[in-house]
Amino acid sequence: MMGGPGAGKGTQASRLARELGLPHVSTGDLFRANLSQGTELGEKARGYMNGGKLVPDDLVIDMLFDRVSSDDCAAGYLLDGFPRTEAQAESLAARLGDTAVTVINLEVPDEVIVERASGRMLCRGCNAIYHTTFNPPANSGVCDTCGGGLYQRDDDQAEVVRERLVAYHTQTAPVVAWYQARGVVCSVDGNQVPDDVFAACAACLQEAV
Ligand code: AP5
Ligand code: MG
Ligand code: ZN
């Protein structure tokens, strides 16, 4: 699942993964778990994340490959936010060999992205994603699913979102082109209501089967 910051990757990937019975593997969520647990990896990643920069490839690739080596990923997995550089795409291709890959690319204009990030709230307990206007929880500040407290991400401040957009356009957009050249990209208009985005994503996977 590819797309700019706040394009809706996490929202769609968690629902698709549930539907497919596959694990949802988000490198952003993995880094945030490391940050909250105070691990060495989290400490190394913190400055990059809070500055809206990509974390260096070697750290991301090691963390991701470690995660997808788990038994629950043996039958496949849904990646959210990886790969984001050509080096990451090359290393994933080398690892997967002939395994089929489908890339869903969520397209959302930059001005919509800024609006989405500024109102996003996340659950501390289960990582569920809310938005104060577009997807509010039933009770303010409390997760509908697990009752956990909601928080705002440090990197959702407007100036950091602008940096994340720069990283996306300069480093990650070329990766979409890299996959397009291999004929595996299904583009989805991410600027629709979530149910319509979901239907379009599901159709991409249907075609890929
Ligand atoms: P990461 O956590 O992946 O951040 P991101 O790519 O910026 O994407 P987001 O998680 O912000 O957005 P999303 O597309 O998941 O949207 P969401 O569904 O939440 O990465 C964070 C950082 O970690 C990076 O900056 C980097 O430092 C590091 N990192 C991670 N992976 C890396 C890698 N591979 N290489 C190097 N560094 C890496 O939706 C956003 C909001 O919009 C929510 O409030 C949601 O409710 C709302 N919304 C969603 N869909 C809709 C809709 N259709 N209509 C209206 N509102 C909607
Ligand atoms: Mg996300
Ligand atoms: Zn929750």
Side-chain angles (χ1 to χ4, degrees), residues 121-144:
M121 306 287 289
L122 285 187
C123 174
R124 281 191 200 286
C126 72
N127 287 323
I129 304 166
Y130 297 90
H131 190 282
T132 47
T133 312
F134 304 134
N135 181 27
N139 297 309
S140 166
V142 182
C143 177
D144 294 345

Side-chain angles (χ1 to χ4, degrees), residues 74-90:
Y77 43 89
L78 193 64
L79 287 172
D80 159 3
F82 184 96
R84 281 194 216 207
T85 63
E86 273 189 43
Q88 292 177 22
E90 301 271 11

